[in-house]
Structure formats: structure tokens, C-alpha cells
Amino acid sequence: IKTAEQLSCFAKSINNGTTYQDQYVKQIKDIKLNDNLLSSLNTGITSELHVWTPGGYYIMNWATSTEDYKSFNGTYNGNNHVISGLYLPDTGATAGTKGLFGYTNGASISNLDISDSYIGSRSDENSSFIVGRATGTITLNNIDTLLNNEIRYNSLVKKNPELAKEVLELNKQDA
């Protein structure tokens, strides 16, 4: 994956049912989804921003006790590249499970930096920069979400922040 368009098509393919089980996906260039996202948000200019659609989702209908989901189950190697300008506002259009990946099941994500990005969240959502909701075993390695010079360990995996904190500590030790 080397362009914003290819990354978007990859996410759409997950939402259309491709799980990438036992498959390896590699990013080969830095990808910018929005230019100067945080500056645009600080000045209130949001009309021209591209809203990211996460790869994968999980929706629980409590009234009928039914689940609807699509998940990424493969390996994503960011190849030490950056994804910047990831934008998921706090609106109904992106409600539910939010992140680069909305929902994963047994996935591995490595060697990736997220910068100049924003994810708005309501208390009833599973939202983070990398994975909104994860089931099965998730492997995160060499992931950095440095935003405004602050490392946020809960920005890795919303559903299991203690795991994300442990991953961050391991990454700091390797640095």
C-alpha cells in the first residue's frame, strides 16, 4: 500500500468481507490522509477534511441481541512508515468502532507511526488510533502514536488499554 486511495480501498475491502486471514499486507510509503489536520481543527476549518472509514466494524444490536461485524484478521506491516491526517470526528457517520482498523480478530500490526491525527469519541464507542475493538490474540509491535509530543498508550487498542500500555513499555525499552 503506497497511497491514501489504496489504503482506503483496503479498508473498504475489509468492510465488504475480505478478512485477509493468513495474508500479509505491507505499506511501502508514508501516507497522508489529510494535510495539516490538527492545524485545520484548531482553526475550525473542517469542511474540506476527508473522514476516514475504518477497516472493519463491530455493531451490537442490544434490542435483538444480534451482532454485525467485519474484521481484519491478517498481518499489516507499516514498514516503518507514517500514516498522518487520520480523521474520525465524533459524529454518527463514524460511530461505533473507530481507528485505522475498526475491528480486528487475531491480527498483527507492526512498524507503523500515526501522526497529526484526531479521533473524537463518545463514551459508548470503542475508539483508538490503531484498533477500535480487538478479539482473539492481537499482536502490536513497534507502533508509535506520538501526537502533540505526548505518547498516549490508550491510543493503541481501546478494548484492552492494559495490553496497549504493556506494548508501549516494550517499545520504549527497544528504543
Side-chain angles (χ1 to χ4, degrees), residues 97-129:
T97 50
K98 298 193 306 193
L100 178 63
F101 295 95
Y103 181 49
T104 65
N105 183 3
S108 175
I109 303 164
S110 63
N111 306 316
L112 181 62
D113 290 350
I114 302 289
S115 69
D116 190 32
S117 295
Y118 174 83
I119 296 183
S121 179
R122 299 185 319 244
S123 62
D124 63 337
E125 295 179 316
N126 294 309
S127 304
S128 78
F129 287 102

Side-chain angles (χ1 to χ4, degrees), residues 34-166:
N34 285 293
D35 289 323
N36 304 310
L37 175 67
L38 296 178
S39 295
S40 295
L41 292 175
N42 287 335
T43 59
I45 301 171
T46 60
S47 61
E48 296 180 19
L49 294 176
H50 167 74
V51 176
W52 175 249
T53 300
Y57 60 87
Y58 178 92
I59 301 167
M60 178 66 178
N61 183 330
W62 295 104
T64 61
S65 296
T66 57
E67 300 172 308
D68 182 21
Y69 61 87
K70 301 291 183 206
S71 64
F72 174 69
N73 304 357
T75 298
Y76 187 92
N77 183 348
N79 200 27
N80 296 313
H81 287 288
V82 176
I83 294 175
S84 62
L86 183 68
Y87 179 54
L88 288 138
D90 183 17
T91 65
T94 60
T97 50
K98 298 193 306 193
L100 178 63
F101 295 95
Y103 181 49
T104 65
N105 183 3
S108 175
I109 303 164
S110 63
N111 306 316
L112 181 62
D113 290 350
I114 302 289
S115 69
D116 190 32
S117 295
Y118 174 83
I119 296 183
S121 179
R122 299 185 319 244
S123 62
D124 63 337
E125 295 179 316
N126 294 309
S127 304
S128 78
F129 287 102
I130 304 296
V131 177
R133 180 183 175 100
T135 57
T137 301
I138 183 166
T139 303
L140 299 173
N141 186 30
N142 195 26
I143 303 290
D144 187 9
T145 56
L146 182 61
L147 303 163
N148 293 334
N149 296 317
E150 176 185 347
I151 296 175
R152 302 176 184 181
Y153 67 81
N154 62 342
S155 67
L156 298 174
V157 181
K158 174 67 175 200
K159 200 62 178 173
N160 192 341
E162 287 305 310
L163 167 68
K165 185 176 182 180
E166 290 172 21

